[in-house]
Amino acid sequence: MDIKEITNPQRPSQQVITDLKRKTIAPPEWSKLRKEYETREHPVMTDPFYQDKPRKNGKGTEKMSRITLDWMKLAVKRMAALLFGIPVLRVYNDHGNEQEKLAAQILEAVYAKNRINAVNKKRARYLYASCEIATIWYTQEQPTSYAGQPCDLKLRCRTFSPFSDKSKGSENVYPLFDEYDDLIALSMEYDRTENGAAVRYFETYTIDEHIRWRNTAGTPEEVLREPFDIEKLPGLYAMRPEPIWEDRAGNVHEVEWNLSRNGNYIRKNSRPTWVVATDEEVEVGQEANNDTDGRNVLRYPADAKYGYATWPQAIDSLKFHIDEIKRDFFMSLQLPDMSMDNMKATPMSGEARKMVFIDAQMKAEDESDIWLELFDRESNVLKAYLKKMYPELADAFDALEVEHRITPYQINDDGEKLSNLSTATGGKRFMSQRTAIKEAGYVDDIDAEMEAIQEEEAADVTAPSF
């Protein structure tokens, strides 16, 4: 069915929403992934057969030891930091055209005002935890300016995901693809607080329309239908077939069970036991209550054996078991175990620490494909918006080429690198001043910086000496 037929306003709203919710892809359900991601929902916390029990004397409750590990959350945060700890670099090819150069500055200003670096980190956490994200770009009627160019509209973005801020309520994402796997509609279901109560909304974006339904008393009611004229669907969608921790949740749960059971054993057996080995009766005094009481009086037969009995805990076996599972977790996911304890226990040179990141950088290279595709579509959506906002630059935005470069986080020593290059060239100059300014990345307008440097140098030359 064609998308216009699906969203036909003559059709009942419930039927339209039902058709828009039909997915041709099957990402994992967040309701299941949440039980692996949230520590409070791990089996050691929820198992009905592992519950606190009343004491035998009827006084109080014997608490069971419950130890959880945040390794799944750690994997999500590590992957997001590995990809976007160093901001994505956008390289613009303006073909030496002043109009295209201005278009690039405007586009970069849009990214900056929307804090795209923070948005990328948030999107990565959402995707690697819940396997689905959708970002919608939209305009607000508000005077603003980008790169000094005034405009009556402001560009904003919002990211939806099943894994979202709990204060916003639950969210669902529904992409709709045609037979050629092209995205023809992107829908979001979310809650909005109105008069202190959560109201459910369903919103759909197509290449031509933006439609919103409000769920009132269990019945959806269309409250908005507006045309779109940017000739592009303003939404971006990405998914993964599995979370970043892949199938390692079961191993993490095994470690939690071992630590929790060991906690119970320690509580029961850590108190020393005084043992007397004899066939005769033994007379003992009452145990002292405090330091001012008299000492216990113990009377044993002459041939009795007595002493403390200690608990021979197999701590080495337990430690080996847990350490192996932890090592397998990080090794299989290709994520570096950069905890402080691990770094202190393994002294390494700066060059050796760089080598630690090689496997993680290969992982980032594998993961970058989905992000580069998303960023390319995102820049095209923004250029389509900006063509309408700045019609005099429409041709410049069409011709502007944008390349996105993801640099995985790594330990760099630029001083050592430059020293090696200088040695390789025999101490000769190997980089122009313009290239050095560009590579440093501290300024946006390289030409303006070059002019400022030349003015300062000229002022130094003409300044009188005393």
Side-chain angles (χ1 to χ4, degrees):
M1 185 182 295
D2 184 78
I3 185 59
K4 292 186 178 180
E5 296 178 7
I6 294 176
T7 60
N8 190 327
Q10 303 301 322
R11 299 183 67 209
S13 296
Q14 189 60 62
Q15 290 184 10
V16 175
I17 293 175
T18 299
D19 289 339
L20 291 171
K21 283 186 174 182
R22 291 176 180 170
K23 287 187 177 182
T24 56
I25 55 177
E29 296 180 12
W30 173 240
S31 59
K32 296 179 180 179
L33 295 179
R34 187 179 60 238
K35 295 179 180 179
E36 299 178 354
Y37 182 82
E38 295 289 352
T39 54
R40 64 177 178 274
E41 296 191 34
H42 287 187
V44 73
M45 301 293 291
T46 60
D47 193 327
F49 299 102
Y50 188 72
Q51 299 294 326
D52 299 341
K53 52 188 178 181
R55 299 183 185 278
K56 294 181 180 179
N57 58 9
K59 297 181 179 179
T61 303
E62 182 180 353
K63 297 288 185 180
M64 305 301 288
S65 178
R66 292 181 175 85
I67 299 175
T68 57
L69 301 172
D70 265 353
W71 290 358
M72 273 70 79
K73 289 184 179 180
L74 180 61
V76 169
K77 290 188 287 186
R78 284 272 171 86
M79 195 69 245
L82 185 63
L83 281 168
F84 302 120
I86 298 176
V88 176
L89 176 65
R90 287 170 292 278
V91 180
Y92 298 93
N93 184 355
D94 54 26
H95 305 95
N97 185 293
E98 290 299 322
Q99 292 287 86
E100 291 182 32
K101 181 178 179 180
L102 178 58
Q105 293 173 354
I106 292 174
L107 181 55
E108 190 63 24
V110 171
Y111 282 122
K113 286 197 173 184
N114 282 275
R115 299 177 177 84
I116 198 64
N117 296 332
V119 170
N120 287 337
K121 292 178 184 178
K122 180 174 69 174
R123 289 193 289 200
R125 291 194 297 269
Y126 286 3
L127 180 64
Y128 290 125
S130 66
C131 299
E132 273 190 303
I133 59 168
T135 297
I136 295 294
W137 285 88
Y138 60 95
T139 58
Q140 290 180 332
E141 293 187 1
Q142 180 179 341
T144 186
S145 67
Y146 296 108
Q149 303 301 308
C151 183
D152 294 332
L153 297 176
K154 186 176 184 179
L155 267 172
R156 300 289 303 276
C157 71
R158 179 179 173 184
T159 297
F160 297 85
S161 172
F163 175 77
S164 187
D165 188 350
K166 295 170 187 173
S167 63
K168 298 178 182 178
S170 61
E171 297 179 350
N172 292 311
V173 179
Y174 300 99
L176 185 63
F177 297 90
D178 63 11
E179 62 270 23
Y180 303 106
D181 289 335
D182 291 329
L183 184 66
I184 58 175
L186 185 57
S187 306
M188 290 72 59
E189 192 174 23
Y190 58 91
D191 292 326
R192 180 184 292 175
T193 302
E194 297 179 0
N195 298 323
V199 179
R200 198 71 171 165
Y201 279 85
F202 190 90
E203 199 159 357
T204 295
Y205 289 86
T206 70
I207 195 172
D208 299 313
E209 290 182 313
H210 170 213
I211 314 170
R212 181 183 299 149
W213 291 269
R214 184 179 187 273
N215 197 318
T216 306
T219 303
E221 176 187 357
E222 184 177 311
V223 295
L224 175 68
R225 184 181 288 259
E226 59 182 1
F228 250 49
D229 61 352
I230 68 169
E231 300 177 355
K232 280 189 178 295
L233 196 156
L236 316 162
Y237 175 80
M239 64 85 65
R240 296 183 88 254
E242 57 184 352
I244 193 62
W245 60 86
E246 298 174 359
D247 58 351
R248 288 295 179 270
N251 290 353
V252 177
H253 296 162
E254 173 69 15
V255 175
E256 291 175 338
W257 278 118
N258 276 278
L259 290 172
S260 298
R261 292 192 185 104
N262 189 66
N264 293 329
Y265 300 153
I266 291 175
R267 186 187 301 118
K268 291 181 179 179
N269 298 288
S270 59
R271 184 178 182 181
T273 302
W274 182 258
V275 178
V276 178
T278 181
D279 292 333
E280 301 183 22
E281 293 185 2
V282 177
E283 295 181 8
V284 299
Q286 297 297 321
E287 185 176 354
N289 293 324
N290 52 56
D291 292 341
T292 61
D293 292 342
R295 296 184 177 278
N296 291 341
V297 178
L298 309 177
R299 183 180 298 170
Y300 306 136
D303 57 349
K305 295 180 180 180
Y306 44 87
Y308 283 108
T310 58
W311 171 43
Q313 182 185 12
I315 190 65
D316 290 339
S317 298
L318 178 66
K319 187 176 185 302
F320 172 79
H321 183 64
I322 293 173
D323 287 348
E324 284 299 300
I325 292 178
K326 182 180 180 182
R327 185 181 64 85
D328 173 76
F329 181 85
F330 287 100
M331 181 182 68
S332 299
L333 300 184
Q334 293 179 271
L335 294 175
D337 183 5
M338 300 298 292
S339 63
M340 185 169 293
D341 285 343
N342 193 44
M343 291 296 98
K344 289 191 300 182
T346 314
M348 290 184 288
S349 64
E351 194 65 28
R353 291 189 187 279
K354 294 180 187 179
M355 300 298 106
V356 173
F357 281 87
I358 288 180
D359 204 26
Q361 289 166 8
M362 294 175 64
K363 175 76 169 181
E365 185 68 26
D366 293 338
E367 294 291 331
S368 65
D369 292 343
I370 187 173
W371 293 107
L372 292 175
E373 182 180 353
L374 183 141
F375 294 151
D376 286 343
R377 292 200 306 267
E378 188 167 55
S379 64
N380 290 333
V381 168
L382 291 178
K383 288 193 292 182
Y385 269 118
L386 292 171
K387 284 166 56 179
K388 301 296 181 180
M389 296 165 61
Y390 297 96
E392 69 279 7
L393 295 173
D395 293 339
F397 281 113
D398 277 334
L400 183 65
E401 297 177 3
V402 186
E403 179 189 357
H404 295 85
R405 297 177 184 174
I406 296 176
T407 305
Y409 183 81
Q410 55 188 330
I411 299 175
N412 281 332
D413 186 352
D414 291 337
E416 181 180 352
K417 180 179 179 180
L418 295 175
S419 176
N420 292 338
L421 292 174
S422 179
T423 302
T425 58
K428 295 181 180 179
R429 185 173 180 177
F430 59 86
M431 183 184 297
S432 69
Q433 187 178 25
R434 181 184 178 86
T435 301
I437 294 173
K438 179 181 178 181
E439 291 299 319
Y442 292 120
V443 296
D444 296 327
D445 193 331
I446 299 174
D447 292 334
E449 187 70 13
M450 289 285 294
E451 292 178 4
I453 293 174
Q454 292 170 2
E455 290 175 1
E456 290 178 359
E457 291 178 346
D460 290 340
V461 171
T462 58
S465 58
F466 297 97

